[in-house]
């Protein structure tokens, strides 16, 4: 109450805006990228605050966001929009696990993309053969492999490669792998201590649940 508007922090302004919106006791609340300008710490606090308010006031809330983590954290249901049209809706786990197409898979995660050909219901790639049920034999298809599904510590794997680069991300390392037969580096999010050195030859395995195949 003792501060002028220009003296308020970003988090204070956001809390005030939400309080003003709730004064009218709305049944439906629209939030358009409400936390985009906040730093990570304040954003996490705001997430907890608004979740509590939504549940307390039994509000229906539509929130627009380009932040995938935020959508998954807050939403009961996600609607993925493209060119002004809704292309997929569902619970967060459902939309993440079963994206409608390759573009949707890219939106929810930075995936490794490898082309191959379907034979006998399987897509053959340099990283292994993956389930391609529903795609006719002989057709080309793309495997979208999530980086967290690529493992370097298995005793035996589907492929071998070399560590081309390593980026420290705190809890995990983002490793770039050079693999014969694959034009672009394969990205893996791994937790190995001590870290694997650049140039190390490694054996690579891929978790089937982290592979999506699209015609």
């Amino acid at each position: 109450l003792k501060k002028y508007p220009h003296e308020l922090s970003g988090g204070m302004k956001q809390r005030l805006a939400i309080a003003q919106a709730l004064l009218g006791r709305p049944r439906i609340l629209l939030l358009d990228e409400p936390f985009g300008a906040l730093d990570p710490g304040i954003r996490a606090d705001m997430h907890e605050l608004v979740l509590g308010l939504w549940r307390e006031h039994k509000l229906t809330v539509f929130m627009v966001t380009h932040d995938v983590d935020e959508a998954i954290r807050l939403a009961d249901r996600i609607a993925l929009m493209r060119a002004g049209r809704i292309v997929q809706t569902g619970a967060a786990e459902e939309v993440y696990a079963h994206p409608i197409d390759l573009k949707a898979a890219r939106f929810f995660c930075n995936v490794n993309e490898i082309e191959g050909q379907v034979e006998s219901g399987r897509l053959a790639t340099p990283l292994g053969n993956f389930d391609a049920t529903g795609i006719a034999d002989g057709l080309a298809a793309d495997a979208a492999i999530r980086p967290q599904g690529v493992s370097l510590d298995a005793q035996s794997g589907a492929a071998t490669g070399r560590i081309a680069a390593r980026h420290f991300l705190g809890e995990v390392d983002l490793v770039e792998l050079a693999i014969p037969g694959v034009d672009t580096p394969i990205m893996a999010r791994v937790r190995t201590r001590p870290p694997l050195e650049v140039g190390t030859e490694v054996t690579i395995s891929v978790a089937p649940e982290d592979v999506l195949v699209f015609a």
Side-chain angles (χ1 to χ4, degrees):
L1 291 176
K2 297 180 180 180
K3 291 182 179 292
Y4 287 94
H6 70 274
E7 296 177 316
L8 299 177
S9 69
M12 290 177 180
K13 290 178 181 177
Q14 294 289 42
R15 288 193 291 272
L16 179 59
I18 291 174
Q20 289 174 321
L22 292 175
L23 281 175
R25 299 187 179 277
R27 289 184 301 170
I28 299 174
L29 190 63
L30 172 63
L31 303 178
D32 187 3
E33 299 194 70
F35 312 125
L38 303 181
D39 65 54
I42 295 177
R43 185 181 302 181
D45 291 341
M46 290 300 297
H47 288 169
E48 294 302 318
L49 174 66
V50 297
L51 275 175
L53 288 171
W54 297 350
R55 290 165 181 162
E56 178 184 353
H57 294 276
K58 296 181 172 61
L59 290 173
T60 295
V61 180
F62 291 90
M63 188 176 78
V64 180
T65 180
H66 290 85
D67 186 322
V68 174
D69 293 336
E70 186 171 77
I72 292 174
R73 168 74 178 88
L74 297 178
D76 295 314
R77 290 181 63 80
I78 289 176
L80 180 62
M81 297 191 70
R82 186 184 304 150
R85 295 180 178 274
I86 294 176
V87 296
Q88 185 174 7
T89 63
E93 290 184 9
E94 175 188 348
V95 176
Y96 178 85
H98 305 288
I100 193 171
D101 55 24
L102 184 55
K103 287 184 179 180
R106 291 174 184 152
F107 180 79
F108 285 102
C109 181
N110 292 323
V111 295
N112 299 294
E113 298 176 32
I114 303 180
E115 294 181 356
Q117 187 169 348
V118 177
E119 297 294 343
S120 302
R122 307 284 294 179
L123 178 66
T125 78
L127 282 181
N129 298 333
F130 306 112
D131 180 41
T133 301
I135 303 176
D137 286 354
L139 291 181
D142 292 305
I145 303 172
R146 297 186 177 110
Q148 59 268 31
V150 181
S151 174
L152 309 182
D153 57 358
Q155 295 297 318
S156 61
T160 58
R162 175 180 54 82
I163 295 179
R166 181 181 68 86
H167 310 280
F168 176 68
L169 301 182
E171 294 184 0
V172 298
D173 291 340
L174 182 64
V175 176
E176 297 182 27
L177 301 165
I179 298 174
V182 181
D183 295 335
T184 57
I186 294 297
M187 311 301 289
R189 294 175 68 92
V190 298
R191 187 174 185 176
T192 55
R193 297 292 182 268
L196 298 170
E197 297 297 328
V198 174
T200 303
E201 298 290 331
V202 292
T203 300
I204 301 160
S205 294
V206 177
E209 61 270 22
D210 283 310
V211 180
L212 304 162
V213 176
F214 301 99

